[in-house]
Amino acid sequence: MSQQHSESSDTTTGTVRVKRGMAEQLKGGVIMDVVNPEQAKIAEDAGAVAVMALERVPADIRAQGGIARMSDPDMVQGIIDAVSIPVMAKARIGHFVEAQVLQALGVDYIDESEVLTPADEAHHIVKTDFTVPFVCGATDLGEALRRISEGAAMIRSKGEAGTGNVVEATRHMRALRAGIKRLTTLDDTELFVAAKELRAPHDLVVEVARTGKLPVVLFTAGGLATPADAAMMMQLGAEGVFVGSGIFKSGDPAQRAAAIVQATTFFDDPAVIAKVSRGLGEPMVGINVDTLPESQRYATRGW
Amino acid sequence: MTAPVIGVLALQGDVREHLAVLRDQGAQAVTVRRPEELAAVDGLVVPGGESTTMANLASRFGLLQPLREAVAGGLPTYGSCAGMIMLADTVLDAPAGQQTIGGLDVTVRRNAFGRQVDSFETEVEVAGVPGGPVHAVFIRAPWVEEVGPGVEVLGRVVGGAADGKIVAVRQGHLVATSFHPELTGDPRVHAMFVELVRAARARGLGSDGATAGADSEGRASRE
């Protein structure tokens, strides 16, 4: 095959399209928290589209307390070596050096996460500075658009990770959906005011109003524990789900992981959800969000 | 003539983007998650996504064998990225036991260009797509390492570390690209595929392919 040889061929990495496009490939899938290579293999075999490498799942972070930080690079590397699916990892909010380290390790996506202890009380990471893409949490539309303007290529609800209680994720998904729907009803004059109220860039507000959706992929995270939880989030408009403690804190992780994957694909088919929900054993023990002291609420971290 | 019905395998991945381009190209685009939905299409797109997840779900829901039979039976099928992996007869760097639909006589290497930080955009000249090079988006993309005698190479990467790697192929009714034309707004690769489906349907081959999905004729062999 003869091809003309051009050394000057324009090949670019780290573009907005490549970062957002990566999240498009994860749609309809389940991203699972794992703390070691064995769990990562179980997740991959169960049909996870990606794994989130972290040292402790949120339920243990809550139980043990202390400062939660980026994972040990050896642990992240071990998980990268163990699976062929994408590997994500968490950096503390505002901790741009943890993010630099994770990028150097070769992780495929960084979660700037409220589950870890924030490293900066005012500033999030400037994510446009990085080649690796970022996912960030949001409780409502304004927060989502602020993260996107900083360079987030994917958004997830915050929920209350580690509780096994889906109520906060539901609140965030409904708030995001309602916020988007409201923008589509406003005229050009009103969109200026909406941008001010949302504390979000006007151009992003206009884009959401025109398209009726976020400019990046929207997943759900926080408190999902059952196949029905995952399917409910998909019916509320999520394009995929993160499951943290819900899998490896349950009685039969492999089977529960596979069941949640199947319920996410067939989220609109109750017969399938019923079938995969049978015989899963014990779900994770939950925490009632109302009993959490304010200092232990993750959703209030980030701004 | 009515619009051809083209299914997008909707187990996981960037299904919506493919549906949108196919509709713009005049096809009636539908999602396919069940054998009976597969049996009703004139052509199929296997989208980008995670090939391990798609294979897992196809297998658990009894769709893998109907897919193999439909593809072997002549159903026009286009795969982008993970879709290319799903159509390949041989896959390198896959987890042990990863199954594919197969039918395309190629050897594909998963994540061949590297991890996400190596994902890139470039221009690729694609044979059969007129009007200059296609702007190609590669995301943790595979490449084709070897092609069988019946496989036509449609495009290669030019320049850079991966210079000359095969990233677009065709074998009769099967087309595959390592990159994602569904993400760029350039409809020409899909237009080529929709034409292929129209032509196959005009010859009556498309309906044979669709029927093959519904019964057990033409069992796909996997060497």
Side-chain angles (χ1 to χ4, degrees):
Chain A
M1 270 275 147
S2 68
Q3 287 275 351
Q4 64 272 52
H5 213 84
S6 143
E7 289 304 324
S8 61
S9 177
D10 222 5
T11 296
T12 45
T13 57
T15 60
V16 168
R17 190 179 265 150
V18 158
K19 290 174 172 179
R20 293 182 181 180
M22 167 76 200
E24 303 283 356
Q25 307 313 311
L26 302 173
K27 283 191 299 193
V30 182
I31 299 166
M32 303 181 190
D33 279 0
V34 297
V35 300
N36 57 45
E38 294 69 38
Q39 289 186 354
K41 279 305 291 175
I42 291 171
E44 182 174 57
D45 291 345
V49 286
V51 290
M52 177 74 71
L54 72 178
E55 232 153 40
R56 296 180 286 170
V57 295
D60 288 336
I61 294 173
R62 284 188 189 281
Q64 295 160 9
I67 303 300
R69 309 179 179 89
M70 174 188 82
S71 298
D72 181 335
D74 273 344
M75 194 279 286
V76 175
Q77 189 66 53
I79 288 170
I80 287 175
D81 294 341
V83 293
S84 68
I85 56 177
V87 176
M88 301 184 164
K90 290 182 193 290
R92 282 181 268 176
I93 288 174
H95 206 313
F96 51 88
V97 175
E98 284 189 349
Q100 290 165 3
V101 170
L102 292 172
Q103 174 167 289
L105 286 173
V107 306
D108 296 297
Y109 236 93
I110 294 176
D111 184 1
E112 186 181 17
S113 178
E114 70 283 358
V115 169
L116 305 185
T117 310
D120 189 317
E121 290 178 334
H123 308 93
H124 282 253
I125 297 169
V126 180
K127 293 163 276 286
T128 46
D129 288 350
F130 288 79
T131 307
V132 68
F134 282 74
V135 55
C136 287
T139 57
D140 58 27
L141 180 58
E143 194 173 359
L145 295 181
R146 288 193 290 280
R147 296 294 85 78
I148 293 167
S149 72
E150 295 156 0
M154 179 180 185
I155 293 292
R156 57 170 174 75
S157 67
K158 283 183 171 171
E160 275 301 333
T163 61
N165 187 339
V166 83
V167 66
E168 290 295 310
T170 305
R171 188 203 312 277
H172 303 161
M173 289 309 295
R174 285 199 182 277
L176 280 159
R177 201 165 72 152
I180 292 168
K181 204 180 283 177
R182 176 173 168 268
L183 286 190
T184 64
T185 66
L186 302 183
D187 67 24
D188 289 350
T189 313
E190 292 164 334
L191 287 175
F192 282 101
V193 181
K196 198 176 80 177
E197 288 168 356
L198 289 168
R199 295 186 291 131
H202 176 253
D203 57 333
L204 282 177
V205 170
V206 171
E207 186 177 348
V208 172
R210 297 232 165 97
T211 61
K213 63 183 283 297
L214 288 181
V216 303
V217 167
L218 172 64
F219 268 48
T220 296
L224 280 70
T226 69
D229 286 349
M232 176 180 170
M233 290 302 131
M234 295 295 286
Q235 290 195 29
L236 284 174
E239 296 179 290
V241 302
F242 286 84
V243 184
S245 322
I247 289 173
F248 288 101
K249 285 288 169 188
S250 73
D252 185 345
Q255 205 192 339
R256 183 166 294 265
I260 292 175
V261 168
Q262 294 165 50
T264 301
T265 291
F266 289 91
F267 66 93
D268 55 353
D269 188 335
V272 171
I273 300 164
K275 186 171 150 234
V276 303
S277 298
R278 290 170 190 268
L280 291 183
E282 283 297 305
M284 70 176 285
V285 177
I287 300 175
N288 211 323
V289 178
D290 293 340
T291 64
L292 280 178
E294 195 62 29
S295 64
Q296 285 177 30
R297 292 205 178 194
Y298 294 159
T300 59
R301 296 174 174 177
W303 30 86
Chain B
M1 198 156 120
T2 55
V5 179
I6 300 185
V8 178
L9 188 65
L11 297 171
Q12 187 274 317
D14 65 345
V15 176
R16 187 180 61 217
E17 288 69 21
H18 278 288
L19 291 171
V21 195
L22 291 168
R23 282 176 190 139
D24 283 350
Q25 293 310 303
Q28 188 190 332
V30 297
T31 58
V32 169
R33 288 182 297 179
R34 300 174 178 86
E36 61 271 25
E37 292 163 348
L38 177 65
V41 300
D42 301 313
L44 180 72
V45 171
V46 185
E50 269 307 313
S51 61
T52 52
T53 304
M54 282 186 217
N56 183 309
L57 285 162
S59 172
R60 282 176 197 268
F61 286 91
L63 195 59
L64 199 54
Q65 198 54 32
L67 282 166
R68 286 174 178 166
E69 286 158 9
V71 167
L75 181 70
T77 305
Y78 165 52
S80 71
C81 195
M84 173 189 260
I85 297 167
M86 290 291 284
L87 290 178
D89 278 339
T90 310
V91 182
L92 304 176
D93 290 344
Q98 179 174 344
Q99 295 183 295
T100 68
I101 299 167
L104 190 58
D105 183 13
V106 297
T107 299
V108 160
R109 185 176 295 281
R110 281 185 72 212
N111 304 334
F113 293 93
R115 305 194 65 83
Q116 171 60 14
V117 288
D118 305 307
S119 292
F120 65 104
E121 302 184 39
T122 190
E123 307 292 318
V124 173
E125 201 71 65
V126 181
V129 172
V134 169
H135 188 73
V137 180
F138 293 84
I139 297 172
R140 286 173 48 94
W143 67 45
V144 178
E145 287 213 347
E146 278 177 53
V147 297
V151 178
E152 182 189 356
V153 174
L154 298 183
R156 294 173 186 262
V157 171
V158 176
D163 184 49
K165 292 296 179 189
I166 300 168
V167 292
V169 292
R170 176 171 176 183
Q171 176 189 327
H173 63 291
L174 304 178
V175 178
T177 62
S178 305
F179 51 89
H180 295 275
E182 73 277 12
L183 294 180
T184 60
D186 181 343
R188 290 177 294 160
V189 172
H190 287 81
M192 172 179 75
F193 178 65
V194 172
E195 272 319 301
L196 193 158
V197 176
R198 283 186 204 277
R201 197 172 63 152
R203 291 196 307 272
L205 290 174
S207 59
D208 284 355
T211 320
D215 58 36
S216 61
E217 70 136 22
R219 185 164 288 253
S221 64
R222 300 261 308 124
E223 286 89 33

